[in-house]
Amino acid sequence: MGKINGFAQLDPAREALVDEQYSISFGELPPLINKYEQRLRELGISPNCTVGLSISEQIPHVLVCLALLKLRAHQVTLDTRESPQYITTICDRLDVSRVIRLADGFDSASAGLRDFDVTIREGATAEPVLQHDRDPLIFAMTSGTTQGPRIVPYTEHILAQQAMRYDGFNFDRVLALPSIQHDTPKRLRLMSLFRGATSLFYRGNTSTWRDIAQFVADKSVDFLRITILNAVTLSKQPGHRLASTTSIDIGSTHISIGLRKLIQKNLSEHLYVHYGSTESGRIAMTTPDEHDERESVGRPLKGVTVEIIDGNGVPIPAGQIGEIRVRGEGMVSGYHDDPKESARRFRDGWYYPGDLGSMTADGKLIVRGRKDDMMILNGFNIYPAEIERAFERHPEVVAAAAFPIRSRSHGEIPAVAIELAKGSKMTEQALMRYSRDRLGIRCPRKVFIVDRMPRNALGKILTRTIAAMVNGDFVIS
């Protein structure tokens, strides 16, 4: 909160939070946060207790989040679109004592402080179980194990350290299309405030590029964060290119060169592609002039060290594929209530995201896929990413997802699911021939054409969902 207070004194008129109708300046923000904090205290929320935020409206969500940080209470986002069973599980694991919701009829930042409902969870302990002497925690969810999602605890200080990685990038008015209820865009909004940047919120249809482009122009947005799903949908709607002062940012382990070129052609030539994780924050990022056939995610950012290691933990030369490990300021040190997974992912000051990669001779990182997803066919190591990238260069392929089919005699048989462009007449046999010419022994032995890839809310293809469906019906002995 100290950084926000500092910006309030230096430039009180500067906009902090903006949507289509409302604007809150940095000068207005600290007293507003104080009022929210006082209201939360009146509703029975105290330091060290853990609170669930079930708030879909974006500016109120940010204001409550900041008020909880000032109050020194811990918090977790409870996505209003999740199932009641999932919400209950998260609340039980974190001993959430109260859940904050918005009253019916609440409209963005215009309503008063009385428009919040606080529910006391039945069976919650009277005294907080989580005791932290220093900083209040924000709990984020990331991909899980059989025990459920991994819970990542990070602090305001960690976020401020991650925000420093943007030094040198002149992003002053930041818009993220994904919902505030996703942890990654929520962190981006908070980091924008910690940098003194304006955080903007778009409440319209995120699948209509014309309207988004108009909002971006009207509000002078200079940094637009979108998901892969946004990119696939919006890049097919040419005719509303952004001004040269606006950049687009996408986060993923892999964005094909075809999609990058389409975005630069139809949306904005100023495209950034980054690689990061909930545990470590943003790790590496390309600049608009770095996109080429290698499909890298760019150089490591300020304060981040990336190494590629072999099976013995020894760094290997550029060009060789190995496991990625990361260290730097702004990284968490482990997971909540999961010591086994913490010990596996966090060792000797390094974080191991579980990805394979290689470094180019000029210092750029190429992500080769998940370590656990590597297939071994008759002694050959086959990486799903190399299959996917080969297919994604086909002009009629929208997306590809490679996975293994288990075989008792051969080990793991590479297969791939393909989503074709609308109107394509390509067949599975033709795609097989295409892959043999480009992949040789590593080509998939089976191609499945699907109408639409299953994706999560941020647009990431759910490869394991596809594999589970296929492996249930298709077995190679």
Side-chain angles (χ1 to χ4, degrees):
M1 295 302 299
K3 285 187 173 292
I4 292 176
N5 291 333
F7 291 124
Q9 294 177 3
L10 288 172
D11 193 0
R14 183 179 180 83
E15 291 181 313
L17 303 172
V18 177
D19 67 7
E20 288 92 337
Q21 301 177 47
Y22 305 103
S23 174
I24 300 171
S25 70
F26 273 96
E28 295 170 325
L29 196 53
L32 188 56
I33 293 170
N34 290 341
K35 291 180 181 178
Y36 271 67
E37 179 200 7
Q38 181 59 39
R39 177 57 179 159
L40 295 177
R41 288 182 183 275
E42 293 172 359
L43 292 170
I45 296 173
S46 59
N48 268 326
C49 72
T50 304
V51 179
L53 273 70
S54 185
I55 303 174
S56 59
E57 284 285 350
Q58 305 201 78
I59 289 181
H61 190 118
V62 172
L63 292 173
V64 173
C65 171
L66 294 172
L68 288 169
L69 287 175
K70 188 172 185 300
L71 199 158
R72 304 187 67 77
H74 314 301
Q75 61 184 279
V76 60
T77 299
L78 304 177
D79 195 323
T80 57
R81 298 160 297 186
E82 284 286 3
S83 69
Q85 181 180 1
Y86 176 89
I87 296 298
T88 298
T89 299
I90 296 302
C91 287
D92 288 344
R93 288 177 64 183
L94 290 172
D95 193 45
V96 170
S97 61
R98 285 165 172 78
V99 177
I100 302 177
R101 296 182 175 87
L102 294 178
D104 293 339
F106 186 89
D107 180 24
S108 192
S110 63
L113 297 174
R114 303 283 172 182
D115 289 293
F116 292 98
D117 291 331
V118 174
T119 303
I120 300 175
R121 289 190 67 235
E122 184 177 352
T125 56
E127 294 297 325
V129 170
L130 298 171
Q131 296 289 340
H132 299 280
D133 297 330
R134 297 195 307 171
D135 296 322
L137 296 171
I138 300 176
F139 294 101
M141 306 299 127
T142 187
S143 55
T145 63
T146 55
Q147 304 303 314
R150 300 186 186 101
I151 300 178
V152 181
Y154 59 92
T155 65
E156 181 181 342
H157 179 64
I158 286 175
L159 283 176
Q161 290 177 315
Q162 292 182 9
M164 292 175 63
R165 298 177 191 173
Y166 290 86
D167 288 355
F169 298 95
N170 295 319
F171 305 140
D172 294 322
R173 296 180 64 82
V174 178
L175 169 64
L177 287 189
S179 167
I180 191 73
Q181 297 189 102
H182 295 301
D183 290 308
T184 298
K186 178 174 177 174
R187 292 200 314 275
L188 178 61
R189 269 78 175 243
L190 293 174
M191 286 189 288
S192 297
L193 294 175
F194 296 161
R195 292 179 58 249
T198 302
S199 188
L200 295 106
F201 303 88
Y202 177 71
R203 303 173 72 193
N205 188 342
T206 57
S207 63
T208 305
W209 177 242
R210 178 193 60 200
D211 295 339
I212 296 169
Q214 186 63 55
F215 179 84
V216 167
D218 290 345
K219 301 297 184 181
S220 301
V221 173
D222 60 17
F223 189 72
L224 173 62
R225 171 77 166 90
I226 65 177
T227 67
I228 302 175
L229 186 58
N230 294 145
V232 171
T233 301
L234 301 177
S235 61
K236 298 175 183 177
Q237 302 176 35
H240 302 277
R241 282 177 59 80
L242 301 180
S244 60
T245 53
T246 303
S247 300
I248 289 179
D249 170 69
I250 309 176
S252 177
T253 56
H254 172 234
I255 302 291
S256 71
I257 187 60
L259 181 55
R260 297 186 198 205
K261 288 180 177 178
L262 193 61
I263 293 169
Q264 289 184 306
K265 176 183 176 183
N266 290 342
L267 307 184
S268 172
E269 61 184 290
H270 301 283
L271 171 66
Y272 291 82
V273 172
H274 76 265
Y275 166 63
S277 71
T278 303
E279 296 87 340
S280 63
R282 191 166 292 209
I283 294 168
M285 186 161 67
T286 61
T287 55
D289 59 349
E290 291 181 319
H291 304 295
D292 56 33
E293 296 295 328
R294 296 177 297 181
E295 299 175 341
S296 83
V297 292
R299 294 180 177 84
L301 290 169
K302 175 184 177 181
V304 179
T305 300
V306 176
E307 287 187 350
I308 309 297
I309 59 172
D310 63 18
N312 297 315
V314 178
I316 57 179
Q320 295 186 21
I321 298 176
E323 184 176 4
I324 297 172
R325 69 180 180 186
V326 182
R327 69 179 176 191
E329 297 294 325
M331 189 175 76
V332 303
S333 58
Y335 300 110
H336 170 75
D337 77 356
D338 197 341
K340 181 178 180 181
E341 194 65 13
S342 294
R344 189 166 78 96
R345 296 287 186 184
F346 299 88
R347 303 193 300 273
D348 301 321
W350 292 93
Y351 167 59
Y352 295 76
D355 291 326
L356 296 171
S358 62
M359 298 297 294
T360 65
D362 55 348
K364 297 173 186 175
L365 174 63
I366 300 174
V367 182
R368 305 286 184 173
R370 298 292 295 170
K371 179 183 176 183
D372 294 342
D373 291 341
M374 186 184 75
M375 296 172 266
I376 302 177
L377 174 64
N378 297 329
F380 285 95
N381 291 347
I382 302 175
Y383 304 100
E386 64 183 327
I387 295 176
E388 292 163 359
R389 290 176 185 181
F391 278 99
E392 286 170 351
R393 289 187 173 93
H394 191 290
E396 296 184 43
V397 171
V398 172
F403 54 90
I405 294 175
R406 309 300 173 186
S407 166
R408 288 185 291 272
S409 56
H410 299 286
E412 296 168 318
I413 306 296
V416 64
I418 300 293
E419 180 182 337
L420 293 171
K422 186 177 181 179
S424 173
K425 302 299 183 182
M426 288 294 297
T427 64
E428 294 174 348
Q429 293 73 22
L431 290 168
M432 283 288 294
R433 291 193 295 271
Y434 172 85
S435 70
R436 288 193 198 101
D437 292 340
R438 287 154 182 80
L439 294 168
I441 189 66
R442 291 177 171 79
C443 74
R445 301 315 193 258
K446 182 66 179 176
V447 174
F448 301 89
I449 295 177
V450 299
D451 292 333
R452 186 183 296 273
M453 291 287 190
R455 297 176 183 266
N456 66 13
L458 292 178
K460 182 178 179 182
I461 294 175
L462 302 175
T463 303
R464 285 183 171 82
T465 299
I466 299 171
M469 294 168 56
V470 170
N471 279 307
D473 301 328
F474 193 89
V475 177
I476 299 178
S477 59

